[in-house]
Amino acid sequence: EPGHDWCTSCGICAKVCPPQCIWIKRGTNPETGRPKPEPEAFFIDIDICMNCGLCAEYCPFDAIKMDHDFELSAYDRQSAHIYNKERLSKPVSYYASIRPSNYEHEEAARSAKEAAKAVKRES
């Protein structure tokens, strides 16, 4: 869905990251002051990242996907090498185009889970 964000700012990706290159600031509800399940800020420093993929592997909500972009060199480190959530976000169609078999498998598992929930609600 456009605009849908799977990240709940649980912080598991930041905890399992060996070089600790992920920073998350959890959002809060201004009315109640309680945490809300979406990140207020999300940053990855790609100069520190070793592209191990542990963040994507351990994310329980499939919010992080590894990409095929490798031409990331630039002269200005501050503006080019620290990625925020907006810069990291890509449409689902992009992921489906670069990893079609993984996308089909994940969508089948997601639809089976939704169907099981629907059956459970009906009974």
Side-chain angles (χ1 to χ4, degrees):
E1 305 168 15
H4 181 73
D5 191 7
W6 292 103
C7 182
T8 62
S9 66
C10 65
I12 292 174
C13 57
K15 290 175 187 162
V16 300
C17 181
Q20 297 293 298
C21 65
I22 301 173
W23 298 276
I24 302 173
K25 182 178 179 192
R26 179 174 243 174
T28 58
N29 188 337
E31 299 167 0
T32 62
R34 300 186 74 194
K36 62 181 177 178
E38 62 185 45
E40 190 173 296
F42 186 97
F43 299 101
I44 296 179
D45 187 342
I46 63 164
D47 282 342
I48 301 171
C49 180
M50 58 189 222
N51 294 315
C52 64
L54 289 175
C55 55
E57 188 174 330
Y58 280 92
C59 180
F61 304 103
D62 289 333
I64 300 176
K65 304 288 185 193
M66 297 303 285
D67 197 352
H68 291 184
D69 288 341
F70 58 89
E71 290 291 335
L72 303 173
S73 61
Y75 288 108
D76 185 20
R77 181 187 182 313
Q78 295 300 322
S79 66
H81 292 179
I82 298 178
Y83 283 38
N84 60 9
K85 191 174 115 181
E86 289 76 31
R87 191 168 176 193
L88 289 165
S89 296
K90 300 216 175 154
V92 174
S93 58
Y94 175 78
Y95 175 67
S97 70
I98 64 169
R99 296 184 188 262
S101 59
N102 289 1
Y103 176 74
E104 290 173 9
H105 175 70
E106 289 173 6
E107 285 302 308
R110 189 173 288 126
S111 62
K113 190 184 249 187
E114 290 296 322
K117 284 182 184 178
V119 167
K120 191 174 182 179
R121 278 184 283 203
E122 291 174 1
S123 58

